[in-house]
Amino acid sequence: MPGAGMPRPEPMPGYGQLLQRCYRGLAGAVRSCTDCGWELSRRSWAENASLACSETLLCLLCAIGWTWLRRAASGCLFRPFGEWCNLQPKDAAKMPESAWKLLFYTLSWSYGAYLLFFTEYPFFHDPPSVFYGWEKGMDVPTDIGIAYLLQGSFYGHSIYATVYMDAWRRDSVVMLIHHVVTLTLIVFSYAFRFHNVGILVLFLHDISDVQLEFTKLNVYFKHRGGIYHRLNDVISNLGCLTFSISWFWFRLYWFPLKVLYATCHSSLQSVPDVPFYFFFNALLLALTLLNLYWFLYIVLFVAKVLTGQMQEVNDVREYDVEESKKTTGPQKAGELQLPKSWKEGNHLKNGLIKDKRL
C-alpha cells in the first residue's frame, strides 16, 4: 500500500505509451528551456550538486583496495586453481579475469536485488517513485550509499585494470571509454541525488555481466587436463542462450519501460525543474541504442549456434593484440591490412565470438 500522500503505483506502460510520453516530456522541456547552455549547466551544478571531498577520497581508496584484492585473489586463488585444473595455457591466462568479474558482479547484483526486493524501496515495482520527495542535497540512505561506493570504486579500479591488468584486446579502448562513462554517470547521479534511479539502472545491467562471465568460465574449463568436458560445453551453450534472453528482458524491455519512462516522463511530474535533465537522459538513451545494437548481433550468434552453423561456443573478445600480430602475418606492399575478425566476419562483444564462418 502506498504511504500517506504518496501516489498509487503506476502500471508499467507499453512501448507506445513510452515513446509518446517521453517525446512529449522531452519536447516540452526543450520549449521551456529558454536559457539552456553552459551558464545554466554551471549554475545547476553549483546549486544542486553535493559531493564532499571526503566521499571522493573514500571512493579512491576503495578503488585501490579493489586492485589489491584482485591481485591477491588472482595470485593466491584463481591462478593456482587454473593450474590445478590443468587448463590450456591461453585459457589459464584469461580465467582469473573472468573469475574476478563473476565474483564482483554476482555480489553487486545480489545486493541490488536485496535492496529492490527485500527492503521497503518500491523502485522496481513503481519506477516513478525514484523521484518522489527528491530534494537537492538530500541524505543518501546508508544501504544505497554502500552500493554506490562499491560500484563507483569498482569502476574506478576497472579503468586502471583495463590498462594495466587485463589482456589488451582490440576492443579495450572501447571498454575503457565505457568504464569512464559509467563512472561519470555514477558520480553525477550521486552528486545530484538521483541515487534511487541509479540503483535500478545497475540492477538491470549487472545480471547480464554475471551470465556472461559464467559462460566464459565454462568455455575455459571445457578443455582441461587434455580432456574435453561435455558438461562445461553444454553449460556454456545454455549460458549463451540465457544470456541472450536476459539481455533482451532486462536491457531492452524493463530498462526502457522502467528507467527511461521514469527519467524522461515521471521526473518532470515530480520535479518540474529537475537539474541536468537533458544530460542524464541523453546518456541513458545512448545506452539503450547500444543495448539494441548489440542485441542484434547476439540474436545472429544464437541463431547460428542453434542451427549448427557454429559447432561450439567459443570465448569472446579473444583477438588480442599479440594474437592478431601472429595470425595476420606481414602486410604486403600496397595491400590494405584489415583486422582478421573483419576478414572472417567476426562480430565481437564482451567475449562471445559471433561467428568464424559467415
Side-chain angles (χ1 to χ4, degrees):
M1 295 292 292
M6 300 294 288
R8 288 185 174 274
E10 294 185 35
M12 192 168 68
Y15 285 112
Q17 289 178 308
L18 170 72
L19 294 174
Q20 182 183 26
R21 294 178 183 178
C22 286
Y23 173 78
R24 187 188 308 157
L26 287 167
V30 170
R31 288 193 299 268
S32 62
C33 189
T34 57
D35 59 344
C36 288
W38 169 252
E39 180 59 29
L40 177 61
S41 299
R42 187 195 62 79
R43 189 168 66 249
S44 296
W45 174 269
E47 294 176 354
N48 297 283
S50 178
L51 185 64
C53 293
S54 58
E55 294 172 325
T56 304
L57 179 60
L58 179 59
C59 185
L60 177 61
L61 292 175
C62 288
I64 296 173
W66 283 122
T67 304
W68 176 86
L69 185 60
R70 174 174 172 175
R71 291 189 186 277
S74 297
C76 300
L77 179 61
F78 300 142
R79 288 197 188 96
F81 183 69
E83 294 173 359
W84 180 77
C85 293
N86 196 17
L87 297 180
Q88 295 181 355
K90 63 173 185 175
D91 294 333
K94 294 173 291 190
M95 186 272 288
E97 179 184 338
S98 287
W100 166 254
K101 291 178 180 178
L102 175 64
L103 177 62
F104 172 79
Y105 286 121
T106 300
L107 293 175
S108 64
W109 184 79
S110 299
Y111 186 61
Y114 162 75
L115 291 177
L116 292 174
F117 297 103
F118 297 96
T119 65
E120 296 181 354
Y121 298 123
F123 310 140
F124 183 82
H125 300 290
D126 185 21
S129 67
V130 297
F131 289 101
Y132 293 168
W134 179 89
E135 296 178 358
K136 62 180 180 180
M138 61 190 295
D139 292 334
V140 178
T142 301
D143 48 7
I144 292 181
I146 291 173
Y148 258 75
L149 177 61
L150 294 177
Q151 293 276 2
S153 60
F154 182 80
Y155 277 101
H157 148 77
S158 296
I159 293 174
Y160 172 86
T162 300
V163 177
Y164 295 105
M165 301 179 72
D166 297 346
W168 190 258
R169 303 177 173 95
R170 291 191 175 183
D171 67 343
S172 291
V173 173
V174 178
M175 292 300 295
L176 185 62
I177 294 174
H178 166 266
H179 294 333
V180 171
V181 171
T182 302
L183 181 59
T184 302
L185 275 171
I186 291 174
V187 171
F188 271 67
S189 63
Y190 180 86
F192 284 93
R193 297 306 189 250
F194 298 149
H195 46 272
N196 293 341
V197 70
I199 291 298
L200 191 55
V201 172
L202 292 169
F203 169 79
L204 293 175
H205 283 78
D206 281 353
I207 183 61
S208 299
D209 294 310
V210 172
Q211 293 178 304
L212 174 63
E213 301 303 336
F214 178 74
T215 301
K216 289 170 66 176
L217 284 175
N218 278 279
V219 170
Y220 300 151
F221 277 90
K222 69 182 178 183
H223 294 290
R224 61 182 188 274
I227 302 174
Y228 163 77
H229 293 265
R230 182 172 179 79
L231 177 60
N232 294 107
D233 194 16
V234 171
I235 293 176
S236 66
N237 280 277
L238 291 176
C240 172
L241 181 61
T242 59
F243 166 75
S244 306
I245 294 173
S246 72
W247 185 284
F248 170 79
W249 196 259
F250 282 79
R251 297 192 178 203
L252 296 179
Y253 180 67
W254 274 340
F255 178 71
L257 298 184
K258 290 179 178 291
V259 174
L260 290 182
Y261 183 80
T263 58
C264 289
H265 171 72
S266 303
S267 61
L268 296 175
Q269 311 302 311
S270 301
V271 189
D273 296 322
V274 58
F276 273 57
Y277 173 83
F278 297 109
F279 174 78
F280 284 107
N281 279 296
L283 291 178
L284 292 173
L285 286 169
L287 182 59
T288 304
L289 293 177
L290 287 173
N291 289 338
L292 178 61
Y293 172 80
W294 283 116
F295 183 70
L296 299 178
Y297 288 107
I298 293 173
V299 170
L300 177 63
F301 167 58
V302 173
K304 290 181 177 295
V305 171
L306 296 180
T307 58
Q309 297 181 51
M310 287 185 64
Q311 298 302 315
E312 60 180 5
V313 175
N314 291 315
D315 184 25
V316 253
R317 302 176 63 211
E318 284 319 297
Y319 291 93
D320 60 23
V321 173
E322 292 303 321
E323 288 179 353
S324 66
K325 290 180 180 178
K326 295 177 183 178
T327 55
T328 55
Q331 180 177 353
K332 297 179 181 179
E335 178 184 356
L336 177 62
Q337 185 68 45
L338 297 176
K340 185 171 184 288
S341 60
W342 292 13
K343 293 178 180 179
E344 295 181 345
N346 290 339
H347 299 290
L348 307 182
K349 173 67 175 87
N350 285 347
L352 290 175
I353 288 183
K354 304 301 183 269
D355 194 9
K356 283 188 176 182
R357 300 180 299 277
L358 284 180

